[in-house]
Amino acid sequence: MLNFGEERFLRIQSGAVALQARLDAVVGACLAAGAENVFFLGTGGAAILMQPAVQLLQQRSRFPAFLDMPAELILAGAAHLTEKSIVVIPSLSGTTKESVAALARLKEIGATVLTLVGHAETPLGKGGDHVFVNFAEDDTSCESFYLQSLYVALSILKYRGEIEDHDAIVAELSRLPGLLLDVKRAYEPKAEAFARVLAGSDYHIVTGAGNVWPEAFYYGMCILEEMQWIRTRPVHASDFFHGTLELVEKGVSVVLFKGEDALRPLAERVEAFAPNYTDRLTVLDTAEFPLPGLSPRVRALVSPIVLATVLERVSAHLEVLRNHPLTTRRYYKRVAY
């Protein structure tokens, strides 16, 4: 595979799987101690990657789950954030300034903070009440963060008695590192063609629904915009028909991500509409990828993880086609802002 280390990928994703038991124990202890809610407080891309876990809890649990921006929380506060809150802060670098500032405020409040980081010797690596370290890099962090946050959500459901097959689901999830590598290998021959679609326009409408909508948002903002300087319009598939559809015409690129959860029909609605008005609809559907040993329920849960692993292959080809390394920045962490 182009510019890709298979052993490194397996090591990183296996590292995420290995955190499950301790995440489960910490969540169980928090609930036993009287935790009343959970906040996922990431910044930028890391925050987006927490959305599927929050959505799962909001759909399946009566335990209040919140997704907030640290920068806003510091300025405005949050009525539900108390000493009885569990707070999950993801940061690959462990140094994200908005999240570090939020950590100081959380310590004043007395909330229990779980930090998910790639480096231990950092402010967030040292500052959390419970620190979970799994080294990763930009091209491998999505799957790791998606998986860790999913484990947190599943454990909350387990200890509240809101899920019956937690252990079976976790057992299936342990197969993911190898399965994801197989997905990458299988998609590699098609990745360049998708990359050519993205390289062929300076504007894309990127859409999806359900738990793959965050990946559409993430890929548009954090990869195409930040890492490739390609303008995008990420829009949820349900909102597509409340404004964005008026921009669809011949030559306009629409990129649709389809997952396997209950909200798949919202994506199918876009898929039925767009070809009538543009000749540039591109669909990436997780249902097309074999994941032997995973039940339909678990396939639905991991759809955003599968998309992330496929899109990494697309990005590897895209940076070569455009002669624009994914590490190139003009402003991000380069100038004061």
Side-chain angles (χ1 to χ4, degrees), residues 213-241:
W213 154 242
E215 182 61 22
F217 184 18
Y218 177 91
Y219 197 72
M221 185 180 80
C222 297
I223 308 301
L224 297 184
E225 290 185 337
E226 178 189 320
M227 298 184 182
Q228 288 294 294
W229 307 346
I230 296 173
R231 292 173 177 83
T232 70
R233 170 64 165 101
V235 58
H236 193 285
S238 67
D239 286 334
F240 185 93
F241 296 96

Side-chain angles (χ1 to χ4, degrees), residues 96-126:
T96 310
K97 65 179 184 179
E98 295 93 338
S99 297
V100 172
L103 179 63
R105 177 66 181 130
L106 293 168
K107 287 185 176 295
E108 295 174 0
I109 293 171
T112 300
V113 180
L114 284 62
T115 56
L116 314 179
V117 299
H119 306 274
E121 296 302 313
T122 59
L124 292 171
K126 294 179 178 180

Side-chain angles (χ1 to χ4, degrees), residues 274-298:
N276 298 310
Y277 303 99
T278 181
D279 52 350
R280 302 194 61 190
L281 170 66
T282 307
V283 180
L284 189 54
D285 185 353
T286 65
E288 296 179 0
F289 298 100
L291 295 169
L294 297 195
S295 62
R297 181 174 185 179
V298 173

Side-chain angles (χ1 to χ4, degrees), residues 6-24 92 115-118 131-137 140-149 151 170 173-178 180:
E6 294 188 4
E7 291 302 319
R8 177 176 64 98
F9 178 78
L10 284 175
R11 182 172 63 252
I12 290 168
Q13 306 316 324
S14 296
V17 170
L19 293 174
Q20 185 276 328
R22 186 166 156 249
L23 283 165
D24 183 68
L92 184 60
T115 56
L116 314 179
V117 299
V131 179
F132 297 86
V133 182
N134 186 42
F135 171 79
E137 294 170 298
T140 54
S141 63
C142 287
E143 298 96 331
S144 176
F145 277 143
Y146 274 138
L147 195 50
Q148 291 177 64
S149 59
Y151 283 142
V170 167
L173 291 174
S174 68
R175 300 171 55 88
L176 263 187
L180 292 175

Side-chain angles (χ1 to χ4, degrees), residues 227-257:
M227 298 184 182
Q228 288 294 294
W229 307 346
I230 296 173
R231 292 173 177 83
T232 70
R233 170 64 165 101
V235 58
H236 193 285
S238 67
D239 286 334
F240 185 93
F241 296 96
H242 296 273
T244 305
L245 81 168
E246 289 295 335
L247 297 177
V248 178
E249 59 184 355
K250 187 176 181 179
V252 172
S253 172
V254 177
V255 179
L256 172 65
F257 297 156

